[in-house]
């Protein structure tokens, strides 16, 4: 599966990922300054009249989010960030993880996002230019994030590859394991598409072989896992999850599956 950030920006999977990332950041900030590291940062900010308009996934994702009533607190927090970027109303702009995190940084916090492709890294730098505590770096995020993580303690690490390469699952698991081994206080959140249970189970087995740290799996299934050619849902896999993660993931995944899913949609939150 090729998961291009710009093509899928603002879809249901972004809502799961970003609502939980905001919660993780806020939770860690309660204990002091936080460093957030992002292996596959993307462009940082997306104009939904561009590539995303072709997929129309934002119409079924963030557009429905913003039109929804009685949103639970963690979904409301994401909606507030989207609203702030669209002061004229509507949903033209959607924040990728870099801008979302940069806007939420507190005093002493910092963000470092890595992007492998030069042209996208240029867009990332542009999107972060007004945030003094955030920076963009060109390079292989899997490699660069481990070096950056060694310079801090208790980092929040986001691994969110586009799954263009056949070794993304392997490298994501290995990177998470090495970060936790060198810093048991770190939290690693890995986003993955959910096509079929075999692929997810294989990834979780790799992750378990890379680290014995506590791991939470938060799934939002929008449809039954009967067609492995479709992204039927998504999962956030959190290694070394902080207290409250189960309830937060249940709130976010439950709302996304229940509000945006087809018949048979469901959310599952469990521990490895």
């Amino acid at each position: 599966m090729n998961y291009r950030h710009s093509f899928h920006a603002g879809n249901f999977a972004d809502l799961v990922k970003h609502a939980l990332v905001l919660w993780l950041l806020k939770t860690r900030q309660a204990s002091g300054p936080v460093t957030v590291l992002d292996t596959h940062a993307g462009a940082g900010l997306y104009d939904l009249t561009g590539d995303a308009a072709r997929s129309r996934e934002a119409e079924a994702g963030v557009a429905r989010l913003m039109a929804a009533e009685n949103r639970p607190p963690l979904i409301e927090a994401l909606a507030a960030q989207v609203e702030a970027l669209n002061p004229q109303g509507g949903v033209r702009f959607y924040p990728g993880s870099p801008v979302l995190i940069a806007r939420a940084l507190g005093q002493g916090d910092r963000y470092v996002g890595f992007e492998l492709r030069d042209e996208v890294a240029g867009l990332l730098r542009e999107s972060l230019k007004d945030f003094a505590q955030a920076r963009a770096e060109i390079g292989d995020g899997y490699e660069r994030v481990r070096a950056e993580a060694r310079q801090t303690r208790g980092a929040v690490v986001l691994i969110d590859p586009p799954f263009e390469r056949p070794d993304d699952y392997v490298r994501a698991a290995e990177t998470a394991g090495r970060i936790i081994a060198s810093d048991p206080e770190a939290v690693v959140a890995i986003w993955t598409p959910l096509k079929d249970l075999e692929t997810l189970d294989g990834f979780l087995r790799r992750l378990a072989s890379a680290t014995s740290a506590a791991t939470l799996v938060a799934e939002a299934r929008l449809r039954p896992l009967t067609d492995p050619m479709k992204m039927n849902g998504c999962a956030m896999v959190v290694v070394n999850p902080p207290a409250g993660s189960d309830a937060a993931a249940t709130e976010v995944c439950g709302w996304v599956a229940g509000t945006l899913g087809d018949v048979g949609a469901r959310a599952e939150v469990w521990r490895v």
Side-chain angles (χ1 to χ4, degrees), residues 36-101:
V36 183
L37 307 175
D38 193 350
T39 61
H40 297 76
L45 183 67
Y46 299 96
D47 184 339
L48 298 182
T49 64
D51 286 346
R54 293 163 51 201
S55 73
R56 306 188 69 175
E57 291 182 21
E59 293 180 15
V62 66
R64 292 181 64 185
L65 163 72
M66 300 309 290
E69 298 180 351
N70 301 315
R71 296 178 293 233
L74 301 188
I75 296 297
E76 184 64 36
L78 176 60
Q81 291 290 333
V82 175
E83 186 175 43
L85 290 171
N86 294 275
Q88 304 304 316
V91 190
R92 176 176 178 178
F93 297 105
Y94 184 80
S97 300
V99 167
L100 191 73
I101 294 166

Side-chain angles (χ1 to χ4, degrees), residues 58-238:
E59 293 180 15
V62 66
R64 292 181 64 185
L65 163 72
M66 300 309 290
E69 298 180 351
N70 301 315
R71 296 178 293 233
L74 301 188
I75 296 297
E76 184 64 36
L78 176 60
Q81 291 290 333
V82 175
E83 186 175 43
L85 290 171
N86 294 275
Q88 304 304 316
V91 190
R92 176 176 178 178
F93 297 105
Y94 184 80
S97 300
V99 167
L100 191 73
I101 294 166
R103 287 176 51 84
L105 293 177
Q107 185 174 5
D109 296 338
R110 67 188 186 101
Y111 167 86
V112 184
F114 301 97
E115 174 54 48
L116 185 60
R117 294 168 294 174
D118 288 352
E119 68 277 12
V120 179
L123 296 173
L124 177 61
R125 286 192 173 122
E126 178 67 19
S127 71
L128 294 177
K129 67 180 182 180
D130 294 328
F131 301 98
Q133 295 160 260
R135 78 175 199 265
E137 296 285 347
I138 297 177
D140 184 333
Y142 292 121
E143 297 291 338
R144 297 287 301 278
V145 77
R146 296 206 303 270
E148 193 73 35
R150 286 194 292 269
Q151 301 178 33
T152 187
R153 298 292 293 178
V156 174
V157 181
L158 177 61
I159 301 177
D160 176 24
F163 295 94
E164 294 174 332
R165 302 183 178 194
D167 64 347
D168 271 327
Y169 285 106
V170 174
R171 296 192 73 192
E174 290 177 347
T175 299
R178 291 174 182 174
I179 288 172
I180 295 296
S182 63
D183 180 9
E185 298 177 18
V187 173
V188 181
I190 308 164
W191 178 90
T192 174
L194 185 56
K195 301 181 293 180
D196 58 85
L197 283 179
E198 183 179 357
T199 302
L200 179 63
D201 287 347
F203 170 66
L204 294 177
R205 286 194 297 271
R206 292 187 183 97
L207 186 61
S209 69
T211 179
S212 60
T215 300
L216 177 142
V217 182
E219 301 180 35
R221 304 186 189 184
L222 265 64
R223 60 189 69 88
L225 308 183
T226 56
D227 185 353
M229 299 305 294
K230 290 184 177 180
M231 188 168 71
N232 298 303
C234 69
M236 282 287 277
V237 180
V238 184

